[in-house]
Amino acid sequence: FGPVKDLSWAPSGNYLISASTDQSVRVCGEWEGQGWYEVARSQVHGHDLSCASFISDSTYFSGSEEKVLRVFQATSTFFSNVNAITGSNIVPTVPGVIGAHIPALGLSNKAITPEDMKSAVEHTGTANVKDYDIPYQVAFAPATLVEPPLEEVLLQNTLWPELHKLYGHGYEVYQCAASPDGRVLASSCRATQLQFAAVILWE
């Protein structure tokens, strides 16, 4: 665990994300009649997170102690769970992506599709084993949440895939924000030189 550095509400108001120096972005939602719980660990990073901001109900971008901003998109599994947990009715925007994984030597979350799961079953006999090489190296199974998830479920089954990287800053990203309509993003970084002391706008 570590201090929370930023927080952002989804435009719908049904859930929020928090970015922390524990190198994760966590999604929290209100479990009907039971209070607020972490429902997804959408990003687990190799650097301390400094900021995160929703672009839409299904996408957010984040910054950390590196020069890159990363854009993430929710999975159809996440939306199914959020609909059940919060009593909302959010239509999945990425029906072909059910989960994500982190490659053994990488920092970027890679998408997992039903076709990937089928391929894993055909080659290994199961879709929930560790250390096989097609197409990911972690245990994963689409998680249907009927109670607040345990740590193992959060780490293995609730990641969001990374869509894009945004390059432009010369030092560690410090803050980021999105316009209300999600069409313009803004970010800034720590700077020791005037040329890097600027806010970058992304469209």
Side-chain angles (χ1 to χ4, degrees):
F1 297 99
V4 172
K5 305 298 290 186
D6 202 5
L7 182 148
S8 178
W9 283 93
S12 65
N14 289 316
Y15 45 92
L16 58 84
I17 53 173
S18 62
S20 170
T21 57
D22 69 358
Q23 304 184 348
S24 72
V25 172
R26 302 170 186 243
V27 187
C28 295
E30 185 176 13
W31 207 287
E32 280 194 302
Q34 299 185 50
W36 283 77
Y37 292 90
E38 183 181 358
V39 296
R41 190 79 52 84
S42 59
Q43 182 183 359
V44 179
H45 201 34
H47 300 275
D48 291 357
L49 273 296
S50 56
C51 58
S53 179
F54 268 109
I55 302 170
S56 68
D57 277 343
S58 62
T59 56
Y60 74 85
F61 73 128
S62 66
S64 67
E65 292 183 341
E66 59 176 349
K67 303 174 184 179
V68 181
L69 289 148
R70 299 170 185 266
V71 182
F72 295 85
Q73 187 168 47
T75 65
S76 58
T77 304
F78 169 79
F79 282 121
S80 296
N81 284 324
V82 166
N83 288 343
I85 291 168
T86 66
S88 58
N89 187 24
I90 303 171
V91 178
T93 57
V94 281
V97 177
I98 59 175
H101 73 102
I102 304 176
L105 300 177
L107 292 176
S108 300
N109 296 1
K110 303 299 183 184
I112 297 174
T113 66
E115 289 72 25
D116 293 329
M117 299 297 289
K118 180 179 178 181
S119 176
V121 171
E122 291 174 349
H123 285 78
T124 68
T126 176
N128 191 27
V129 296
K130 294 183 177 181
D131 298 326
Y132 54 84
D133 58 2
I134 55 152
Y136 32 83
Q137 289 80 39
V138 295
F140 170 81
T144 300
L145 302 181
V146 295
E147 60 184 4
L150 300 176
E151 189 73 7
E152 182 179 4
V153 174
L154 289 168
L155 286 171
Q156 293 182 354
N157 301 328
T158 64
L159 288 171
W160 294 13
E162 183 180 313
L163 289 182
H164 306 290
K165 292 182 179 69
L166 303 177
Y167 298 93
H169 288 293
Y171 291 91
E172 296 90 346
V173 174
Y174 180 71
Q175 190 56 266
C176 63
S179 62
D181 61 6
R183 298 180 63 181
V184 179
L185 312 180
S187 61
S188 62
C189 71
R190 301 181 187 277
T192 58
Q193 302 177 42
L194 183 61
Q195 68 185 95
F196 297 115
V199 174
I200 297 179
L201 299 180
W202 313 84
E203 293 184 313

